[in-house]
Amino acid sequence: MVAFLRWAGSIVAGTLNGLIKFTLAILLILIVISLFAMARGDKMPGSMVLSIDLRKDVADSRPGKYSFGARAPTVLDIVLGLDAAERDPRVKGVFLRLGTGALSVAEAEEIGAALKRFRASGKFVIAHAQGFDGAGLGDYVTATAADQIWMQPKSSFAAAGVGGGEFFVRGLLDKIKAEPQIAKRSEYKSAADMFMESSMTKEDREQLQELMKSTYDAAVNTAAADRKISRAAMVAALDASPQFTEDAKAKKLIDQIGFDDDALGAALNKAGGDAQAITLSQFLGAKVASAYGSGPHIALVQASGEIVEGSTGGGPFDNSSVIAGDDMAHAIREATADKDVKAIILRVDSPGGSVAASDQILDAVKKAQAAGKPVVVSMGGVAASGGYYISLSANKIVAHPATITGSIGVLTGKVSIGNTLGLVGVKGELVGVGKNALMNSDLAPYTPEQWAALNAEADGIYADFTKKVAEGRKLPLAKVQEVARGRVWTGADAKERGLVDKLGGFWDAADVAKRLAGVPAGDRVRFKLYPRQKGFLETVSDWLNGDDDEVQAIENFKTLMTSPVISHTAHAVRQAPRAGIELRAANLPE
């Protein structure tokens, strides 16, 4: 046993030493690589076409974390990258690949606007689709921003409209004796209807129908204008889907028929000379920075994902895509404290989440405004519920026509499964001290008193939410109560109701921020990114300083090794007799 413990201890010590040496070696290698890279320049070709692949889901934005290797560009990466490419004389054009149905209409509006801005500088965009596979319109609307749309021969053009559906599991819950108890404020707050209802409510059907109609109108109007055909002709052409490539070309939905290499060849020929295709990720990688552009500083705070309490930790292997309350509030506070920052753009793409974290972020926004920093919200594809909550105090809110926003409401409750367990021979029992200590247990339903308390809590949060909207948007409370009720709106409909100030994308929000900051309209600005982009060395330093789960695991191991059982065992091993002569005193106090 003694020999085994000695052997195990040597293995643990050797492993930890090896990890430390490996980390130091990686650091040294990266330092050398960085020095060589700085000496050699960005190594981009003298003439290039940027290749952007949009055939997988595209995140709106991400926190400023170090990424190992090339990372998939976000919507904001594309927007800012195209701005940099517009000013880089080596970039002649863009080759776009899409068609899998990965893009929403709101994302199409943002990326399409960036492509048109790029084209306005005298450069070109060629889009290629092997097919437009989904019935949704996001990919096609994005493609219409290009100079030319290519499609592979005899492929499917399925883009047709906007639609969707919902599942309802109340019948299943009844069969397995599970009891859903969820309080919602108010009748349009439908996220939990799948548990509480057996079919779509009248209110939910109404809001979804209006949401889809508004999104469809925005998409069709944009596509018709870009393709230079009438709205009626565009509607008729889309109504003919699914159809083949050749049919789409006859209806002027696309321009050319060919494979991807044919379209890329056309792009390279148009660029001229010895132009090369370079991915946007490669281009961005050669321009890694914590700021973009030049001139007065405007902070760009990126908030994308579900809103949660606490911090993500930010370790080198942390790929979380959430808005952590501590991290986001800290980012806004950093931007507020930066004397060079003249205004803040808060980019929001979130379906909401924690009330406490949302309130924490809203407080940071209000304090930034109180410190004299104008805050402009630029909404991405979704800025609803908590996503709207963190936006409501902004000096101005800019949203796309197809942004999903609003959902000013509250959900709270649970599904109790105590009776369900009995169906499979499992029994759960509870023990608690305090009248409501077990109120949130999944094993038992709420008592009548607890259900009343839960509803009172929902009423209080809803009243606070609507009051803050009224104050932030400078609207009568009665009007807010009318447009709230948990209802989702498109950006276009939200603007009509005073929930949004302006329709547009990131660059429209930037223009508003410039005006509020007193920057002349024609002047460029420098966007400083928050949360701040961390390099590899800083990320590893944070990691080794105990900022994430990996270090927590090491701390847990340390706690285990210093526990009484392990300590006494180790002490016994140290005191055990060993072969040979030793100059060691035994049994000394420690």
Side-chain angles (χ1 to χ4, degrees):
M1 179 65 180
V2 170
F4 171 77
L5 290 173
R6 287 176 180 164
W7 173 80
S10 67
I11 291 295
V12 171
T15 301
L16 291 176
N17 286 333
L19 285 172
I20 293 171
K21 291 177 181 178
F22 175 76
T23 301
L24 291 175
I26 291 295
L27 293 178
L28 290 173
I29 291 171
L30 287 171
I31 290 171
V32 172
I33 291 174
S34 298
L35 291 174
F36 271 110
M38 287 187 288
R40 296 171 63 190
D42 65 14
K43 301 303 291 181
M44 290 287 103
S47 177
M48 55 184 151
V49 172
L50 289 189
S51 176
I52 304 176
D53 195 334
L54 300 176
R55 291 175 295 175
K56 294 182 180 179
D57 290 343
V58 182
D60 185 77
S61 61
R62 65 166 56 84
K65 300 173 185 174
Y66 181 83
S67 176
F68 290 91
R71 67 183 191 185
T74 65
V75 171
L76 277 190
D77 286 337
I78 294 168
V79 170
L80 295 173
L82 286 173
D83 178 65
E86 173 190 328
R87 292 177 284 110
D88 191 327
R90 299 171 299 176
V91 178
K92 310 302 180 184
V94 165
F95 177 58
L96 198 65
R97 300 201 67 185
L98 72 184
T100 58
L103 298 172
S104 70
V105 173
E107 290 169 337
E109 289 170 334
E110 186 72 83
I111 296 172
L115 291 169
K116 292 172 188 175
R117 194 170 182 267
F118 177 80
R119 287 175 56 196
S121 68
K123 302 183 179 185
F124 67 87
V125 178
I126 291 178
H128 182 271
Q130 290 178 287
F132 287 97
D133 300 333
L137 298 177
D139 281 44
Y140 181 65
V141 171
T142 304
T144 63
D147 294 278
Q148 295 179 8
I149 304 176
W150 288 61
M151 265 188 77
Q152 191 165 302
K154 289 296 179 186
S155 293
S156 173
F157 185 100
V162 180
E166 297 176 349
F167 286 100
F168 297 90
V169 299
R170 181 59 189 264
L172 172 63
L173 296 180
D174 290 343
K175 287 181 182 297
I176 63 174
K177 298 183 179 180
E179 186 173 348
Q181 292 174 291
I182 301 172
K184 67 177 185 179
R185 299 293 182 274
S186 191
E187 67 268 32
Y188 290 97
K189 193 74 172 178
S190 61
D193 283 0
M194 66 178 296
F195 303 109
M196 296 294 293
E197 307 290 341
S198 57
S199 62
M200 193 178 292
T201 65
K202 175 176 67 70
E203 293 82 5
D204 192 24
R205 185 175 295 278
E206 174 193 342
Q207 72 173 342
L208 289 178
Q209 187 68 41
E210 289 300 317
L211 190 76
M212 291 177 185
K213 182 180 183 302
S214 182
T215 302
Y216 178 81
D217 288 343
V220 168
N221 292 341
T222 298
D226 289 346
R227 296 300 298 168
K228 297 180 174 57
I229 63 177
S230 69
R231 186 183 191 281
M234 177 59 68
V235 170
L238 294 175
D239 283 347
S241 294
Q243 54 196 304
F244 284 115
T245 301
E246 293 72 17
D247 303 315
K249 186 174 186 297
K251 296 180 178 68
K252 299 183 179 180
L253 294 175
I254 66 169
D255 301 291
Q256 300 289 341
I257 298 175
F259 288 87
D260 55 302
D261 61 331
D262 299 320
L264 177 58
L268 293 174
N269 287 337
K270 191 172 181 65
D274 56 352
Q276 299 178 39
I278 298 295
T279 68
L280 180 64
S281 294
Q282 290 173 312
F283 181 74
L284 292 173
K287 295 179 176 291
V288 170
S290 60
Y292 290 84
S294 59
H297 287 200
I298 289 180
L300 173 54
V301 182
Q302 303 174 82
S304 179
E306 182 185 356
I307 301 172
V308 300
E309 295 179 38
S311 171
T312 62
F317 307 107
D318 175 22
N319 292 315
S320 55
S321 55
V322 297
I323 304 171
D326 288 358
D327 297 341
M328 189 52 51
H330 178 70
I332 296 170
R333 291 164 190 158
E334 272 195 314
T336 303
D338 190 332
K339 295 180 180 179
D340 293 330
V341 169
K342 306 302 181 185
I344 297 172
I345 297 176
L346 177 60
R347 175 71 175 196
V348 179
D349 187 79
S350 172
S354 162
V355 173
S358 298
D359 214 20
Q360 179 184 18
I361 297 167
L362 175 62
D363 176 70
V365 170
K366 289 181 176 180
K367 286 175 178 173
Q369 293 172 293
K373 300 287 174 79
V375 177
V376 177
V377 165
S378 169
M379 291 182 169
V382 180
S385 198
Y388 189 80
Y389 191 104
I390 66 175
S391 307
L392 61 85
S393 173
N395 297 75
K396 296 293 179 182
I397 299 176
V398 180
H400 296 289
T403 294
I404 298 174
T405 189
S407 192
I408 301 167
V410 180
L411 281 175
T412 183
K414 66 180 181 180
V415 177
S416 55
I417 59 171
N419 293 329
T420 304
L421 298 178
L423 297 178
V424 292
V426 177
K427 183 179 181 181
E429 294 188 354
L430 299 170
V431 177
V433 177
K435 181 179 178 181
N436 292 314
L438 300 172
M439 179 172 173
N440 292 322
S441 170
D442 295 333
L443 293 180
Y446 296 119
T447 65
E449 294 81 7
Q450 290 171 342
W451 179 242
L454 187 79
N455 276 274
E457 183 180 34
D459 288 334
I461 295 172
Y462 181 63
D464 182 62
F465 196 167
T466 52
K467 179 184 176 184
K468 285 175 176 171
V469 173
E471 292 172 349
R473 299 298 303 155
K474 297 178 174 58
L475 294 171
L477 181 59
K479 182 175 181 179
V480 172
Q481 290 170 335
E482 176 61 29
V483 300
R485 300 156 68 190
R487 182 163 182 166
V488 291
W489 305 97
T490 61
D493 291 338
K495 183 177 182 298
E496 292 179 2
R497 290 157 178 82
L499 299 178
V500 164
D501 295 293
K502 182 180 178 66
L503 295 181
F506 172 79
W507 291 114
D508 298 288
D511 288 340
V512 173
K514 285 169 58 177
R515 177 172 55 80
L516 293 177
V519 178
D523 289 4
R524 298 193 67 86
V525 293
R526 184 174 179 83
F527 296 107
K528 195 168 184 180
L529 306 186
Y530 293 88
R532 185 170 54 82
Q533 175 71 55
K534 294 183 179 181
F536 178 82
L537 298 180
E538 189 176 0
T539 302
V540 171
S541 175
D542 287 346
W543 179 48
L544 294 177
N545 283 328
D547 284 340
D548 64 0
D549 292 338
E550 290 90 340
V551 174
Q552 186 61 50
I554 294 175
E555 289 298 321
N556 291 342
F557 177 76
K558 179 180 176 182
T559 301
L560 174 65
M561 294 304 293
T562 56
S563 66
V565 173
I566 299 297
S567 295
H568 284 92
T569 303
H571 178 75
V573 170
R574 287 196 299 270
Q575 300 301 326
R578 300 174 185 173
I581 300 173
E582 297 181 352
L583 298 175
R584 178 168 65 91
N587 299 318
L588 296 177
E590 296 185 351

